[in-house]
Amino acid sequence: FSCNLSDLLCSFPGLLYQEYRDKSTREEIETRRLQDSQTDTEETSPSEETPSEAESTSTIENKTPPQINLLRNSNSRFNLWQDLPEVQNSGVLSILQPDEIKLQEAMFELVTSEASYYKSLNLLVSHFMENERLKKILHQSEAHILFSNVLDVMAVSERFLLDLEQRVEENIVISDVCDIVYQHTVNHFSVYITYVSNQTYQERAYKQLLQDKPAFREVISQLELDPKCKGLSFSSFLILPFQRITRLKLLVQNILKKVEEKSDRESTALDAHKELETVVKACNEGVRKMSRTEQMISIQKKLEFKIKSVPIISHSRWLLKQGELQQMNGPKTSRTLRTKKLFREIYLFLFNDLLVICRQIPGDKYQVFDSAPRGLLRVEELEDQGQSLANVFILRLLENADDREASYMLKASSQSEMKRWMISLAPNRRTKFVSFTSRLVDCPQIQCVHPYVAQQPDELSLELADVLNILDKTDDGWIFGERLHDQERGWFPSSMGEEILNPKIRAQNLKECFRVHKSDDSQRRKLGSRNRQ
């Protein structure tokens, strides 16, 4: 069992998962750049001689390719399925249609990337977790927080990889992998939720250990310098499981885009994708729940109510945005007065269901003087009001803390900050461009070429090669986008991406996205019809 797995790992290129993933996403970016630069996409001419699907299948069956140990050939150093000597020597590449070869590559990438991922997990355990010097430094509880259930995660990856290996060895032409993905996601992948949900505590424990234990810091630095780690940090190994479960969903999406419509392979890919999406959402919720609870407790301690107190902490409440704005003082007739007292600082805490308006007071405290349910907020932008009223908007509370309507004229520090507040305060307000979910034929799109980590709750973290619809943009370099593969929305700097200019590529991206999420759509339609009844 372990010997087979060892042979399997030897057969792959010497890339750790971090390197493999980076290489793969960079290639994806370059491919999209190349497609985007072409004004007319070349299409296969009908006159070109390509065997029909029936002919291809028939010829393959007649040739009956031998069973081969693709993954146990320790001499091979391959990246692509079609580069395998066994595939090239079989003659199958001249028989299969181009679309089927692309599908084979997509399935093969899922297998090879899992092998690379397992290799990195193995290094995290053997090189870091089981290091004798590190064991002596860490208390048992510290080690548990730092490494969590990584042994369970690695065991799950091992079983998954062996099943994938067996499938690839059955035949040169891979029949399917999504049925295996489905079975493992349903039966085993819950270990990812446990690991990822611990992420907040894991990060905090790591920072604390670096700060409090010089011996820990020294050992980690020495271990990171080992050639095995290829210059990669310890923290890059710790975040592997979350990166992998997210990437696995995208790899299944890639397969789904290439399988025949209304085929068995499409059905298994849709099933696998749906289950993976459930796990990824649970992982995200696990992380958010841990950090949100602590954040709400911290905010509650800082608030002092001038009005009737509102209980802040709730399991169903979380922070969307907080920050300082300038409130205009005096009646509307005094708007044009050039005085420093025209605006006064106020501080807003916006939760998913509640707005709290405060003034900052000494001791890092905030005095609450008004509040309103988020559903009873309306915003209105002021245009062409002169420089003194630039980036000013009206916030209306249809029912405030005194059960009456109230209006605030607020000034933001920049155009992007104003738009971000307006979209957060009134999320159903129409954006400049229509969203993906409206099924717009064409919409501005951008692909991420630099990863971005969200700094504020209303921002969106980006991974390399993410494709997003642009819903709104500002003159000072910010974009409000909706990611196609999961419909997550948020703000990010425009410098993180490159706009996709070719309308054919944008249309193709949307078409593929609709196909991936069509099972979700049918569920929503069923639910909608039931609700109407």
Side-chain angles (χ1 to χ4, degrees), residues 66-216:
Q67 290 188 345
I68 53 170
N69 291 333
L70 294 178
L71 304 181
R72 293 189 185 145
N73 179 3
S74 59
N75 297 318
S76 63
R77 290 289 180 269
F78 46 79
N79 288 316
L80 297 173
W81 173 79
Q82 59 193 300
D83 289 342
L84 288 166
E86 294 88 347
V87 171
Q88 292 188 339
N89 296 336
S90 71
V92 76
L93 292 174
S94 62
I95 300 166
L96 294 177
Q97 292 185 328
D99 285 349
E100 179 62 33
I101 293 174
K102 287 177 184 175
L103 175 58
Q104 291 294 313
E105 296 293 5
M107 292 191 288
F108 191 64
E109 185 185 358
L110 189 145
V111 181
T112 55
S113 62
E114 188 65 30
S116 180
Y117 166 63
Y118 180 82
K119 182 179 179 179
S120 289
L121 275 184
N122 205 16
L123 193 59
L124 171 62
V125 171
S126 62
H127 187 61
F128 290 99
M129 182 179 171
E130 294 177 349
N131 179 271
E132 290 302 324
R133 287 175 65 197
L134 207 57
K135 279 182 178 179
K136 290 175 183 175
I137 294 167
L138 291 176
H139 187 272
Q140 192 174 354
S141 62
E142 291 171 331
H144 179 68
I145 294 171
L146 200 56
F147 295 102
S148 190
N149 64 326
V150 71
L151 291 176
D152 295 337
V153 173
M154 192 167 80
V156 163
S157 175
E158 184 173 339
R159 278 199 299 268
F160 182 42
L161 185 54
L162 287 168
D163 281 353
L164 291 170
E165 176 200 15
Q166 186 178 353
R167 177 62 57 82
V168 173
E169 288 180 353
E170 286 173 2
N171 200 303
I172 291 174
V173 180
I174 305 167
S175 58
D176 198 0
V177 293
C178 288
D179 56 329
I180 297 172
V181 175
Y182 173 80
Q183 291 296 335
H184 281 262
T185 306
V186 170
N187 297 318
H188 307 298
F189 282 7
S190 60
V191 296
Y192 281 95
I193 301 169
T194 305
Y195 186 94
V196 174
S197 296
N198 183 54
Q199 193 174 313
T200 304
Y201 299 125
Q202 185 188 61
E203 288 172 359
R204 185 186 303 147
Y206 180 49
K207 286 177 184 174
Q208 202 69 43
L209 286 166
L210 288 174
Q211 187 179 314
D212 298 345
K213 293 192 174 183
F216 173 81

Side-chain angles (χ1 to χ4, degrees), residues 506-523:
R506 292 198 298 265
Q508 181 65 23
N509 290 338
L510 282 180
K511 182 182 175 184
E512 289 174 349
C513 212
F514 297 157
R515 187 178 176 193
V516 165
H517 292 283
K518 72 180 184 181
S519 61
D520 301 341
D521 293 342
S522 62
Q523 285 296 109

Side-chain angles (χ1 to χ4, degrees), residues 400-428:
N400 73 349
D402 297 327
D403 298 324
R404 61 181 176 81
E405 187 172 330
S407 290
Y408 294 90
M409 185 177 285
L410 304 174
K411 182 179 174 71
S413 58
S414 64
Q415 186 199 36
S416 59
E417 192 61 15
M418 178 190 72
K419 283 201 170 189
R420 286 170 67 165
W421 270 112
M422 290 177 74
I423 285 176
S424 295
L425 288 162
N428 296 324

Side-chain angles (χ1 to χ4, degrees), residues 167-416:
R167 177 62 57 82
V168 173
E169 288 180 353
E170 286 173 2
N171 200 303
I172 291 174
V173 180
I174 305 167
S175 58
D176 198 0
V177 293
C178 288
D179 56 329
I180 297 172
V181 175
Y182 173 80
Q183 291 296 335
H184 281 262
T185 306
V186 170
N187 297 318
H188 307 298
F189 282 7
S190 60
V191 296
Y192 281 95
I193 301 169
T194 305
Y195 186 94
V196 174
S197 296
N198 183 54
Q199 193 174 313
T200 304
Y201 299 125
Q202 185 188 61
E203 288 172 359
R204 185 186 303 147
Y206 180 49
K207 286 177 184 174
Q208 202 69 43
L209 286 166
L210 288 174
Q211 187 179 314
D212 298 345
K213 293 192 174 183
F216 173 81
R217 192 167 60 243
E218 184 187 340
V219 172
I220 289 293
S221 296
Q222 288 175 359
L223 292 174
E224 286 176 336
L225 289 172
D226 192 296
K228 291 179 197 168
C229 296
K230 302 191 177 182
L232 294 163
S233 67
F234 173 55
S235 57
S236 79
F237 286 91
L238 287 178
I239 62 170
L240 283 169
F242 186 45
Q243 289 181 331
R244 180 55 184 170
I245 196 69
T246 309
R247 185 68 183 166
L248 198 55
K249 188 188 86 164
L250 296 179
L251 290 170
V252 170
Q253 281 189 8
N254 194 33
I255 292 169
L256 185 48
K257 293 168 187 175
K258 293 173 172 59
V259 292
E260 315 86 345
E261 291 200 45
K262 298 180 181 176
S263 64
D264 288 343
R265 289 196 291 193
E266 183 189 53
S267 179
T268 57
L270 283 168
D271 289 343
H273 181 265
K274 185 180 176 184
E275 292 302 325
L276 280 169
E277 190 130 64
T278 302
V279 172
V280 171
K281 282 180 180 175
C283 286
N284 285 326
E285 280 307 306
V287 173
R288 287 169 184 160
K289 190 175 181 181
M290 297 289 187
S291 57
R292 281 170 178 172
T293 303
E294 295 188 346
Q295 188 178 45
M296 296 302 287
I297 293 169
S298 173
I299 291 170
Q300 173 84 64
K301 289 176 181 176
K302 294 179 179 181
L303 298 183
E304 293 183 2
F305 284 83
K306 190 178 178 181
I307 56 171
K308 184 182 175 183
S309 179
V310 178
I312 295 297
I313 298 172
S314 164
H315 290 299
S316 58
R317 179 174 293 150
W318 61 89
L319 184 72
L320 292 179
K321 190 168 178 62
Q322 70 179 80
E324 190 177 87
L325 289 167
Q326 305 290 318
Q327 179 198 356
M328 185 192 143
N329 288 322
K332 291 185 178 180
T333 52
S334 68
R335 284 186 199 174
T336 55
L337 293 176
R338 295 186 177 182
T339 168
K340 289 182 180 178
K341 294 181 180 179
L342 183 59
F343 290 98
R344 185 182 176 188
E345 293 173 357
I346 64 168
Y347 202 92
L348 271 56
F349 288 95
L350 178 66
F351 304 100
N352 61 310
D353 62 345
L354 176 72
L355 171 68
V356 175
I357 306 176
C358 324
R359 296 199 197 283
Q360 195 159 6
I361 55 178
D364 194 27
K365 298 274 188 179
Y366 298 90
Q367 188 178 65
V368 181
F369 65 88
D370 209 352
S371 67
R374 186 177 176 224
L376 297 180
L377 304 177
R378 301 293 182 268
V379 292
E380 177 189 333
E381 186 176 349
L382 288 183
E383 296 180 3
D384 303 322
Q385 297 291 324
Q387 190 58 40
S388 65
L389 292 180
N391 308 319
V392 172
F393 66 98
I394 305 289
L395 169 63
R396 299 189 198 284
L397 282 56
L398 300 185
E399 189 178 300
N400 73 349
D402 297 327
D403 298 324
R404 61 181 176 81
E405 187 172 330
S407 290
Y408 294 90
M409 185 177 285
L410 304 174
K411 182 179 174 71
S413 58
S414 64
Q415 186 199 36
S416 59

Side-chain angles (χ1 to χ4, degrees), residues 1-7 158 162:
F1 181 89
S2 58
C3 178
N4 290 350
L5 193 62
S6 174
D7 291 343
E158 184 173 339
L162 287 168

